[in-house]
PDB file of all heavy atoms in Angstrom:
ATOM      1  N   ALA C1362       2.226  21.658  48.618  1.00  0.00           N
ATOM      2  CA  ALA C1362       2.270  20.920  47.351  1.00  0.00           C
ATOM      3  C   ALA C1362       0.946  20.259  47.019  1.00  0.00           C
ATOM      4  O   ALA C1362       0.665  19.964  45.860  1.00  0.00           O
ATOM      5  CB  ALA C1362       3.368  19.864  47.400  1.00  0.00           C
ATOM      6  N   LEU C1363       0.118  20.030  48.041  1.00  0.00           N
ATOM      7  CA  LEU C1363      -1.139  19.306  47.821  1.00  0.00           C
ATOM      8  C   LEU C1363      -2.040  19.847  46.721  1.00  0.00           C
ATOM      9  O   LEU C1363      -2.443  19.106  45.848  1.00  0.00           O
ATOM     10  CB  LEU C1363      -1.937  19.243  49.134  1.00  0.00           C
ATOM     11  CG  LEU C1363      -1.677  18.005  49.992  1.00  0.00           C
ATOM     12  CD1 LEU C1363      -2.454  18.091  51.281  1.00  0.00           C
ATOM     13  CD2 LEU C1363      -2.037  16.749  49.237  1.00  0.00           C
ATOM     14  N   PRO C1364      -2.340  21.162  46.748  1.00  0.00           N
ATOM     15  CA  PRO C1364      -3.242  21.656  45.701  1.00  0.00           C
ATOM     16  C   PRO C1364      -2.739  21.336  44.299  1.00  0.00           C
ATOM     17  O   PRO C1364      -3.494  20.918  43.434  1.00  0.00           O
ATOM     18  CB  PRO C1364      -3.293  23.174  45.924  1.00  0.00           C
ATOM     19  CG  PRO C1364      -2.808  23.387  47.295  1.00  0.00           C
ATOM     20  CD  PRO C1364      -1.928  22.246  47.655  1.00  0.00           C
ATOM     21  N   GLY C1365      -1.431  21.505  44.118  1.00  0.00           N
ATOM     22  CA  GLY C1365      -0.869  21.247  42.791  1.00  0.00           C
ATOM     23  C   GLY C1365      -1.024  19.803  42.372  1.00  0.00           C
ATOM     24  O   GLY C1365      -1.366  19.479  41.253  1.00  0.00           O
ATOM     25  N   LEU C1366      -0.771  18.883  43.312  1.00  0.00           N
ATOM     26  CA  LEU C1366      -0.824  17.470  42.967  1.00  0.00           C
ATOM     27  C   LEU C1366      -2.238  16.972  42.797  1.00  0.00           C
ATOM     28  O   LEU C1366      -2.487  16.069  42.022  1.00  0.00           O
ATOM     29  CB  LEU C1366      -0.137  16.648  44.070  1.00  0.00           C
ATOM     30  CG  LEU C1366       1.373  16.804  44.110  1.00  0.00           C
ATOM     31  CD1 LEU C1366       1.919  16.213  45.385  1.00  0.00           C
ATOM     32  CD2 LEU C1366       2.004  16.124  42.924  1.00  0.00           C
ATOM     33  N   LEU C1367      -3.159  17.558  43.533  1.00  0.00           N
ATOM     34  CA  LEU C1367      -4.517  17.061  43.480  1.00  0.00           C
ATOM     35  C   LEU C1367      -5.393  17.827  42.512  1.00  0.00           C
ATOM     36  O   LEU C1367      -6.554  17.536  42.368  1.00  0.00           O
ATOM     37  CB  LEU C1367      -5.163  17.130  44.872  1.00  0.00           C
ATOM     38  CG  LEU C1367      -4.527  16.230  45.916  1.00  0.00           C
ATOM     39  CD1 LEU C1367      -5.231  16.414  47.256  1.00  0.00           C
ATOM     40  CD2 LEU C1367      -4.618  14.779  45.497  1.00  0.00           C
ATOM     41  N   SER C1368      -4.844  18.804  41.841  1.00  0.00           N
ATOM     42  CA  SER C1368      -5.702  19.625  40.965  1.00  0.00           C
ATOM     43  C   SER C1368      -6.212  18.761  39.834  1.00  0.00           C
ATOM     44  O   SER C1368      -5.479  18.019  39.195  1.00  0.00           O
ATOM     45  CB  SER C1368      -4.928  20.806  40.409  1.00  0.00           C
ATOM     46  OG  SER C1368      -3.985  20.390  39.468  1.00  0.00           O
ATOM     47  N   LEU C1369      -7.535  18.875  39.626  1.00  0.00           N
ATOM     48  CA  LEU C1369      -8.127  18.073  38.561  1.00  0.00           C
ATOM     49  C   LEU C1369      -8.544  18.995  37.449  1.00  0.00           C
ATOM     50  O   LEU C1369      -9.366  19.872  37.625  1.00  0.00           O
ATOM     51  CB  LEU C1369      -9.360  17.329  39.086  1.00  0.00           C
ATOM     52  CG  LEU C1369      -9.064  16.267  40.126  1.00  0.00           C
ATOM     53  CD1 LEU C1369     -10.323  15.937  40.905  1.00  0.00           C
ATOM     54  CD2 LEU C1369      -8.539  15.015  39.455  1.00  0.00           C
ATOM     55  N   ASP C1370      -7.995  18.786  36.292  1.00  0.00           N
ATOM     56  CA  ASP C1370      -8.370  19.606  35.148  1.00  0.00           C
ATOM     57  C   ASP C1370      -9.684  19.111  34.598  1.00  0.00           C
ATOM     58  O   ASP C1370      -9.877  17.926  34.405  1.00  0.00           O
ATOM     59  CB  ASP C1370      -7.305  19.471  34.056  1.00  0.00           C
ATOM     60  CG  ASP C1370      -6.437  20.706  33.993  1.00  0.00           C
ATOM     61  OD1 ASP C1370      -6.969  21.794  34.224  1.00  0.00           O
ATOM     62  OD2 ASP C1370      -5.246  20.553  33.737  1.00  0.00           O
ATOM     63  N   SER C1371     -10.590  20.009  34.336  1.00  0.00           N
ATOM     64  CA  SER C1371     -11.898  19.557  33.858  1.00  0.00           C
ATOM     65  C   SER C1371     -11.833  19.045  32.432  1.00  0.00           C
ATOM     66  O   SER C1371     -12.580  18.186  32.014  1.00  0.00           O
ATOM     67  CB  SER C1371     -12.920  20.687  33.957  1.00  0.00           C
ATOM     68  OG  SER C1371     -12.358  21.853  33.399  1.00  0.00           O
ATOM     69  N   LEU C1372     -10.915  19.533  31.661  1.00  0.00           N
ATOM     70  CA  LEU C1372     -10.815  19.057  30.288  1.00  0.00           C
ATOM     71  C   LEU C1372      -9.727  18.000  30.229  1.00  0.00           C
ATOM     72  O   LEU C1372      -8.596  18.277  30.551  1.00  0.00           O
ATOM     73  CB  LEU C1372     -10.440  20.212  29.350  1.00  0.00           C
ATOM     74  CG  LEU C1372     -11.519  21.280  29.199  1.00  0.00           C
ATOM     75  CD1 LEU C1372     -10.887  22.561  28.701  1.00  0.00           C
ATOM     76  CD2 LEU C1372     -12.581  20.812  28.218  1.00  0.00           C
ATOM     77  N   PRO C1373     -10.089  16.807  29.814  1.00  0.00           N
ATOM     78  CA  PRO C1373      -9.073  15.747  29.822  1.00  0.00           C
ATOM     79  C   PRO C1373      -7.892  16.045  28.917  1.00  0.00           C
ATOM     80  O   PRO C1373      -6.805  15.569  29.141  1.00  0.00           O
ATOM     81  CB  PRO C1373      -9.830  14.516  29.329  1.00  0.00           C
ATOM     82  CG  PRO C1373     -11.022  15.043  28.645  1.00  0.00           C
ATOM     83  CD  PRO C1373     -11.359  16.327  29.301  1.00  0.00           C
ATOM     84  N   GLY C1374      -8.103  16.836  27.933  1.00  0.00           N
ATOM     85  CA  GLY C1374      -7.033  17.033  26.972  1.00  0.00           C
ATOM     86  C   GLY C1374      -5.964  17.998  27.441  1.00  0.00           C
ATOM     87  O   GLY C1374      -4.821  17.925  27.044  1.00  0.00           O
TER      88      GLY C1374
END
Side-chain angles (χ1 to χ4, degrees):
Chain C
L1363 268 177
L1366 289 168
L1367 295 179
S1368 71
L1369 293 161
D1370 255 325
S1371 48
L1372 293 159

